Amino acid sequence: MKAHTKLFEKRIEEPVPGAHVAIGYGLANVIVIDAPDGLILVDTLESIRAAQGLVPWLNELRQSTGKQITDVIYTHNHADHAFGAGVLLADQDNKPRIWAQEQTQARVNEVVGILSPITFKRAMRMFGTYLPNENFENNGIGPRLLSTHSDGFDFVPPTDTVGDYAEVTMAGEKVVLIHAPGETDDQLAVYLPDRSLLLPADNYYHAFPNIYTVRGTPYRDPRKWAQSLDIMSKLNAETMIPQHSQPVLGAAEIHKRLTDYRDAIQFVYDETIRMINAGLTPDEIAEQIELPPHLANAPYLKELYGRVDFAARAVFSGTLGWFSGDPVDLRPPSPDQHARLMAELAGGNDALLAAGQASLAKGDASWALILGTQLQRLGDDRAAELRATALRELAARETASSVRNYFLTSAAEADGFTMPVASISATPDRMLNGIPIDRFLGILTTNVDASAVQDKSLSYGFEFTDAQDYTIRINRGVAYLEDGLADDNVGRLTTTTDVFRAIAVQRRNPAKVLIAGDMQVIGSITGLTTFLGYFNPPLQEN
């Protein structure tokens, strides 16, 4: 892991004339192409803080070339590629075109809104964001994620989208944008034919691919990923600059790496399917599956980020779902009941604790963690120390950074560390206002407090002066969005979409907005605040 960290030392490289890559300024690389009529910016780092660290160099490049950024390309929706754009573009007057795959905007909206509470917590564990420096090494694909609960995002929505393929001219340079699903479904590979330069997005990095990530994402289909690598390999590029790790030079070396990467992904998929058809369960497959030696020994396929067994589990789940095929899965005891039965079998909590401590002494930290978790469910205060010790033991022998960091952060939580709540206080209005209002309202309906509205049936109207009208209806624990204004609405507000977003995230007070004349309400303001109080939006100021 320490040797791997050296790949991400902060620096600017120019592997081919006019192609600059900023490495180590954040989790991902930022690539700037000095094209005939301007600069092309590829990816923009993960937060306002990360992007601010790159601004001085970018301004120097603008000054030395006498050129502005005319085009921005998001290779995909992940934060480390798209959430610093507003900062990097702030020091120039012209507004560049912003290119992305046609799914990117929707995926950003979903992650920022509906899933942000859980993805934030799991990502912070996986990336080891709150670990002290002495316990941290790297993030597998980069030095360290520069994004915490208080860091703001500044995503700028795309102006131009790409479906499957596009050949366009950016700043006087021919650029080929290829839809290349893999780590995400919206990956865009970028090829500059006049430079024989390939930017493979996150479909290649110097570690085994993260076919499954412990922070949680939609299924990453290995078949699509392998096909994308085939497409990129056939370009026969002379230079490849990944969005993570360092440039690769020479057509033969690039072809070998992409081919090996492709074969590793294909092997895991095919071998998992063969084992599935032989009747093996996910646990059995994960225990047995191994890459062929020539792939396992390749330095760019070491399990420093993704893991082969995790990939196999993902293939099982992505093809057959959660049920392993063993009937024991169909009606298991609840977790708490399982813990009680485990303690009863062991002879009580003291015996359970002793068994966990004995497991640690024998070097079986995995079993000690399981036993400690049973004690935790039983409310035994002694569980925390056992779990923390087991987690640190597991971390000490783990090479995949995401897993190691997750173990260590979970150990810190067992010791009393509390994961902060994500805040949008530093995120500019511009980014929030870029979320389409129907999706924003959808964030509210998804986060209805179901227990508070189990016996309620009512609806409220939202009349927007700059968009279509909607009704949010609550029906006994379920909330959903309807087009238009319903006749049975208990109240109605009239305002702009931007003002409503500010109210919904508690950036503006409804009563003060009403007094200022920025909103009109039919019905009482108390009725509006009561209705909004039924929802727990994940986007919050503090």
Side-chain angles (χ1 to χ4, degrees):
M1 292 188 72
K2 289 184 180 297
H4 195 58
T5 299
K6 295 178 181 179
L7 295 181
F8 314 120
E9 291 177 350
K10 184 181 287 189
R11 62 196 187 275
I12 306 293
E13 290 191 7
E14 191 176 359
V16 291
H20 307 271
V21 53
I23 300 172
Y25 285 81
L27 189 64
N29 297 337
V30 172
I31 299 158
V32 181
I33 306 299
D34 183 0
D37 301 328
L39 303 175
I40 303 169
L41 175 66
V42 184
D43 289 339
T44 64
L45 298 174
E46 63 261 37
S47 65
I48 290 173
R49 174 165 59 107
Q52 286 172 340
L54 190 63
V55 166
W57 171 76
L58 192 57
N59 284 341
E60 287 179 11
L61 187 62
R62 288 188 182 104
Q63 184 174 3
S64 64
T65 61
K67 298 173 183 176
Q68 297 288 296
I69 296 169
T70 62
D71 294 85
V72 178
I73 303 171
Y74 297 142
T75 59
H76 58 293
N77 68 79
H78 284 168
D80 52 319
H81 300 263
F83 280 13
V87 175
L88 299 183
L89 299 175
D91 291 336
Q92 62 178 56
D93 296 328
N94 69 299
K95 293 184 177 181
R97 295 181 297 180
I98 299 180
W99 300 83
Q101 209 277 332
E102 59 190 13
Q103 303 174 67
T104 296
Q105 175 77 69
R107 183 59 186 157
V108 167
N109 294 340
E110 183 177 347
V111 172
V112 169
I114 292 174
L115 294 175
S116 64
I118 189 59
T119 55
F120 170 78
K121 289 181 180 179
R122 289 172 61 149
M124 293 301 98
R125 295 180 186 124
M126 167 182 164
F127 290 115
T129 303
Y130 296 104
L131 293 176
N133 289 334
E134 60 267 24
N135 288 352
F136 181 85
E137 190 54 50
N138 62 62
N139 278 142
I141 54 172
R144 192 157 199 169
L145 182 75
L146 298 180
S147 180
T148 67
H149 64 285
S150 60
D151 282 306
F153 303 142
D154 201 349
F155 174 78
V156 180
T159 60
D160 295 78
T161 59
V162 176
D164 291 331
Y165 182 90
E167 293 184 9
V168 297
T169 299
M170 299 183 189
E173 176 132 6
K174 181 179 179 181
V175 179
V176 180
L177 301 174
I178 305 167
H179 182 209
E183 196 188 68
T184 66
D185 280 344
D186 67 328
Q187 296 276 324
L188 278 182
V190 182
Y191 181 58
L192 285 70
D194 293 342
R195 302 173 191 258
S196 191
L197 172 61
L198 170 65
L199 314 182
D202 275 12
N203 287 335
Y204 171 88
Y205 30 72
H206 199 87
F208 184 79
N210 220 18
I211 296 172
Y212 176 76
T213 178
V214 295
R215 73 177 181 274
T217 64
Y219 180 50
R220 298 172 172 182
D221 192 333
R223 295 169 298 178
K224 292 181 180 179
W225 200 330
Q227 291 166 1
S228 295
L229 288 162
D230 279 338
I231 292 170
M232 291 189 289
S233 180
K234 291 176 182 177
L235 295 171
N236 295 315
E238 293 285 346
T239 306
M240 180 171 72
I241 305 178
Q243 268 55 43
H244 296 280
S245 69
Q246 57 192 11
V248 183
L249 306 179
E253 181 65 20
I254 293 168
H255 185 270
K256 175 175 172 50
R257 293 197 187 194
L258 293 179
T259 300
D260 284 351
Y261 226 68
R262 178 235 181 276
D263 288 352
I265 292 170
Q266 186 70 50
F267 175 85
V268 170
Y269 178 83
D270 291 346
E271 183 73 353
T272 302
I273 296 298
R274 287 191 286 267
M275 291 184 177
I276 287 173
N277 286 328
L280 275 66
T281 66
D283 290 344
E284 292 167 335
I285 294 170
E287 181 183 18
Q288 296 181 33
I289 192 165
E290 293 181 350
L291 289 178
H294 75 284
L295 297 175
N297 293 330
Y300 41 85
L301 283 169
K302 296 296 183 184
E303 292 176 284
L304 294 165
Y305 191 50
R307 286 182 53 122
V308 172
D309 56 337
F310 288 7
R313 290 182 184 276
V315 171
F316 191 106
S317 177
T319 52
L320 286 186
W322 64 266
F323 177 43
S324 72
D326 188 333
V328 72
D329 292 345
L330 294 176
R331 283 288 184 264
S334 70
D336 288 347
Q337 183 184 7
H338 187 277
R340 290 193 298 270
L341 293 171
M342 182 83 81
E344 181 181 324
L345 185 64
N349 284 20
D350 290 346
L352 202 59
L353 175 63
Q357 292 170 335
S359 295
L360 278 177
K362 293 186 293 186
D364 192 352
S366 295
W367 182 239
L369 179 59
I370 290 173
L371 297 179
T373 301
Q374 306 311 307
L375 278 174
Q376 182 187 50
R377 288 196 168 275
L378 294 169
D380 194 312
D381 292 339
R382 297 171 296 179
E385 182 179 355
L386 178 59
R387 293 185 76 252
T389 304
L391 285 161
R392 291 191 173 96
E393 287 289 331
L394 290 168
R397 60 186 81 154
E398 180 60 54
T399 61
S401 66
S402 55
V403 184
R404 179 180 187 273
N405 292 335
Y406 209 103
F407 282 149
L408 289 174
T409 305
S410 297
E413 290 177 289
D415 284 340
F417 169 71
T418 300
M419 184 69 69
V421 176
S423 169
I424 60 166
S425 58
T427 297
D429 290 339
R430 179 181 64 253
M431 180 170 173
L432 295 179
N433 294 341
I435 302 175
I437 193 61
D438 59 334
R439 291 185 176 273
F440 200 92
L441 292 169
I443 295 172
L444 286 181
T445 58
T446 302
N447 288 278
V448 67
D449 185 350
S451 61
V453 296
Q454 285 288 337
D455 59 348
K456 300 186 185 301
S457 294
L458 73 162
S459 63
Y460 206 96
F462 298 83
E463 183 178 39
F464 296 112
T465 58
D466 56 343
Q468 76 171 80
D469 303 331
Y470 292 97
T471 292
I472 291 182
R473 184 174 299 279
I474 294 173
N475 184 30
R476 302 184 64 181
V478 179
Y480 46 90
L481 194 63
E482 297 177 353
D483 290 341
L485 299 172
D487 294 335
D488 60 346
N489 285 335
V490 298
R492 184 173 83 233
L493 69 80
T494 302
T495 188
T496 66
T497 55
D498 289 354
V499 169
F500 176 73
R501 291 185 188 94
I503 293 171
V505 301
Q506 302 174 348
R507 193 162 277 187
R508 295 188 67 179
N509 180 280
K512 292 182 179 179
V513 172
L514 188 65
I515 293 171
D518 294 334
M519 176 179 70
Q520 294 78 46
V521 174
I522 295 178
S524 68
I525 189 68
T526 301
L528 170 61
T529 55
T530 299
F531 186 82
L532 293 178
Y534 293 138
F535 303 90
N536 300 304
L539 302 176
Q540 298 180 8
E541 284 292 288
N542 296 299

